[in-house]
C-alpha cells in the first residue's frame, strides 16, 4: 500500500507542497494557480501557459487521488517507496493497536487465503494485527486485492512488501512491539515447483530465515507460529499421519522447502530461544480460497462446461485428501497463538543448555481426520453446483503429489482443544455460495480469472 496522497503530491509538486484535502476542485485549482511555482512560470511563459500548466498538474493530481490503491501503487512504484511515510507509520500503528489484553500479531501472507481469514478473526476478537503481503502473480492478484479491501474495511492494514526485505521488516519491528508472528507467507502449490523451483527457495526458505533473523534481534522476541504442510509426510505410508512420523522423504520440492522450514525453526529455537510452533495444514478449502486448488478449479470448469482432470495412481487407485474447512483451520491457528509461550531469547537459551526447560518448540497437524476420495468429492461438488462434471481420468503426473493424506489431530486436541466441526458437504456448500456470488455476472469479478490456468 502507498502512503497518504499528501506526501505523494508533495513529491510531484515540491514547490506547491501538494494538494490539501477537504476543499472543492475549484479551491484546489485556485491554490495551484496562486502558488509560487506557477507565478514563476507566469513570468517566463505568460499567464496562458501558466494556466495550462496549472490545469495539467491539477488533472494529474486528481487522477492520482482517485485511483484505487493497486493502481496507485503501480503508478508510483518508480516515484516513491511504498512504505516509510508518516501516514504509512500511522496506519501500521493504528492497525497494531489491540483492545486491552490483546496480542499484537504480525501476519505474513495476510492477503492470502488462510492469512486473510485468520487476520480477520484476530482483529474481530480484539487483537492488534498488521499484515504484510507481496501480492505476487502466482494466481491473479485481483483476488488478493479484494481480500485486502475486505480486511482494511475491518481495520487491518496490509503492508505491500516481501518478507525477504530485511529493511522493511526492521522498520516494522522498530515501530511495533509484536508479541506474536503468524508466518503464512509462502510460495504455494506442488506442481508449480517443477516449473519455478527457485521461487520456492526464495519465499519458503530465504524468506523464513529473513523473518527469523529479524525476530531474534528484538527484545523481547515474539513467539513464532508458522505454516508447514501435510506434504512433509511425503512417502510415509503409515496412516493416519502423526507428528512424530518420518518426514525425511519428501515427494516434492514444495514439501522439501516446508521440511527445511521445520529444521530451520528448530535451529532458531535451539540457538536463539525463539518460541516456535509449526502447523501442518491438510488441504484447506472454503470461501475466498486459492484458484489453483482442485476444488476451486473444478468448480470453475464445471460451471463453464469444461472437463476436469481426475488423477489416478499407477494401479488405478483414486487419490484421497483430508479436506479441512477454513474456519476449522483458523480456530487451530488461534489456538496455537493463544498457547504459544514467550520466546526466552538467545542469552537464556545458552544458559539453559542441558537443563529441562527450554524455549517452547511444537508441531501440530491441523486436519479434518476424514479423508475423502476425489471422485466422491467431485460428486458432492456436482450436487452443490447442480451441474454435472465432465470427468477426464488421467494418470497422476510425476510432479510430487501424494496418493493420500490423513491427519491424526490428537496432539492439537489435547493442547488447545482443536476439534474440526465442518464436514465436506457443508464446507463445499459454503464455498459454492461464495463462488457464485463473487463471480456472478455484473459483480465486476466475473472476468478476473480469464486466461488463468492452474499448474
Amino acid at each position: 500500500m502507498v502512503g497518504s496522497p499528501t506526501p505523494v503530491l508533495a513529491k510531484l509538486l515540491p514547490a506547491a507542497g501538494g494538494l490539501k484535502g477537504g476543499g472543492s476542485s475549484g479551491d484546489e485549482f485556485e491554490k495551484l494557480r496562486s502558488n509560487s511555482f506557477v507565478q514563476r512560470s507566469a513570468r517566463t511563459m505568460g499567464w496562458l501557459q501558466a494556466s495550462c500548466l496549472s490545469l495539467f498538474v491539477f488533472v494529474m493530481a486528481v487522477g492520482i487521488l482517485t485511483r484505487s490503491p493497486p493502481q496507485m501503487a503501480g503508478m508510483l512504484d518508480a516515484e516513491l517507496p511504498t512504505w516509510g511515510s508518516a501516514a504509512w507509520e500511522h496506519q501500521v500503528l493504528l492497525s497494531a493497536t489491540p483492545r486491552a489484553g490483546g496480542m499484537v500479531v504480525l501476519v505474513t501472507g495476510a492477503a492470502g487465503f488462510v492469512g486473510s481469514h485468520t487476520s480477520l478473526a484476530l482483529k474481530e476478537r480484539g487483537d492488534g494485527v498488521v499484515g504484510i503481503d507481496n501480492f505476487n502473480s502466482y494466481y491473479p492478484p485481483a483476488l488478493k486485492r479484494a481480500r485486502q479491501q475486505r480486511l482494511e474495511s475491518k481495520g487491518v492494514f496490509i503492508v505491500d512488501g516481501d518478507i525477504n526485505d530485511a529493511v522493511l521488516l526492521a522498520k516494522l519491528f522498530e515501530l511495533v512491539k509484536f508479541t506474536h508472528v503468524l508466518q503464512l507467507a509462502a510460495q504455494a502449490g506442488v506442481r508449480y515447483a517443477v516449473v519455478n523451483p527457485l521461487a520456492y527457495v526464495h519465499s519458503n526458505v530465504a524468506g523464513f530465515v529473513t523473518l527469523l533473523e529479524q525476530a531474534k534481534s528484538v527484545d523481547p522476541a515474539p513467539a513464532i507460529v508458522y505454516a508447514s504442510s501435510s506434504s512433509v509426510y511425503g512417502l510415509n505410508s503409515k496412516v493416519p499421519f502423526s507428528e512424530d512420523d518420518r518426514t525425511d522423504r519428501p515427494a516434492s520440492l514444495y514439501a522439501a522447502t516446508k521440511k527445511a522450514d521445520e529444521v530451520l525453526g528448530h535451529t532458531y529455537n535451539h540457538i536463539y530461544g525463539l518460541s516456535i510452533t509449526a502447523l501442518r495444514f491438510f488441504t484447506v478449502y472454503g470461501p475466498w480460497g486459492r484458484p489453483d486448488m482442485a476444488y476451486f478449479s473444478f468448480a470453475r470448469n464445471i460451471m463453464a462446461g469444461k472437463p476436469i482432470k481426475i488423477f489416478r495412481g499407477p494401479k488405478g487407485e483414486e487419490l484421497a485428501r483430508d479436506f479441512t474447512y477454513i474456519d476449522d483451520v483458523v480456530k487451530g491457528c488461534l489456538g496455537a497463538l493463544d498457547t504459544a509461550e514467550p520466546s526466552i531469547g538467545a542469552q537464556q537459551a545458552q544458559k539453559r543448555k542441558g537443563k529441562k526447560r527450554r524455549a517452547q518448540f511444537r508441531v501440530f497437524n491441523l486436519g479434518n481426520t476424514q479423508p475423502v476420495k476425489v471422485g466422491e468429492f467431485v460428486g458432492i461438488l456436482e450436487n452443490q453446483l447442480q451441474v454435472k462434471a465432465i470427468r477426464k481420468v488421467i494418470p497422476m503426473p510425476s510432479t510430487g503429489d501424494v496418493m493420500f493424506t490423513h491427519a491424526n489431530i490428537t496432539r492439537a486436541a489435547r493442547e488447545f482443544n482443536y476439534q474440526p466441526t465442518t464436514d465436506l458437504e457443508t464446507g463445499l456448500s459454503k464455498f459454492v455460495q461464495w463462488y457464485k456470488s463473487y463471480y456472478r455476472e455484473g459483480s465486476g469479478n466475473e472476468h478476473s480469472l480469464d486466461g488463468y490456468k492452474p499448474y
Side-chain angles (χ1 to χ4, degrees), residues 190 229-242 245 251-252 254-255 280-285 293 317-324 365-374 396 400-409:
V190 169
S229 169
S230 63
S231 67
V232 299
Y233 291 109
L235 302 179
N236 183 29
S237 59
K238 171 186 166 294
V239 290
F241 299 157
S242 299
D245 290 347
S252 67
Y254 169 73
R280 294 173 178 169
F281 295 154
F282 282 70
T283 315
V284 188
Y285 74 100
M293 296 289 285
E317 63 271 39
E318 282 193 82
L319 275 69
R321 291 289 182 268
D322 197 347
F323 295 100
T324 313
N365 289 335
L366 295 185
N368 193 50
T369 75
Q370 298 180 14
V372 176
K373 292 182 177 180
V374 172
M396 185 170 69
D401 276 310
V402 295
M403 288 302 303
F404 57 87
T405 59
H406 183 185
N408 179 337
I409 61 168

Side-chain angles (χ1 to χ4, degrees), residues 120-190:
L120 186 59
L122 287 166
K123 194 67 175 180
E124 287 180 340
R125 72 177 197 174
D127 295 310
V129 183
V130 177
I132 182 172
D133 204 291
N134 68 2
F135 297 92
N136 71 23
S137 57
Y138 168 64
Y139 58 83
L143 182 56
K144 300 175 187 180
R145 293 296 181 184
R147 297 186 191 121
Q148 178 188 30
Q149 292 174 4
R150 182 171 177 245
L151 284 175
E152 293 193 346
S153 71
K154 302 295 184 180
V156 178
F157 179 63
I158 300 181
V159 174
D160 199 329
D162 196 300
I163 59 170
N164 278 285
D165 188 340
V167 177
L168 172 57
L169 290 182
K171 182 64 175 179
L172 285 172
F173 278 78
E174 175 190 334
L175 279 174
V176 180
K177 303 301 181 187
F178 295 108
T179 60
H180 298 73
V181 173
L182 181 61
Q183 154 59 359
L184 301 174
Q187 177 58 61
V190 169

Side-chain angles (χ1 to χ4, degrees), residues 338-396:
D338 288 342
T339 56
E341 296 176 0
S343 294
I344 64 174
Q347 187 174 3
Q348 290 299 315
Q350 295 302 317
K351 285 181 180 179
R352 289 172 177 167
K353 278 186 176 179
K355 296 183 179 180
K356 186 175 181 180
R357 185 179 183 276
R358 295 188 54 79
Q360 187 181 50
F361 182 83
R362 306 180 297 173
V363 179
F364 296 109
N365 289 335
L366 295 185
N368 193 50
T369 75
Q370 298 180 14
V372 176
K373 292 182 177 180
V374 172
E376 181 182 347
F377 159 80
V378 172
I380 296 172
L381 191 56
E382 287 175 325
N383 291 336
Q384 296 297 333
L385 292 169
Q386 297 184 331
V387 180
K388 196 71 174 175
I390 303 171
R391 305 186 187 204
K392 184 179 180 181
V393 179
I394 62 173
M396 185 170 69

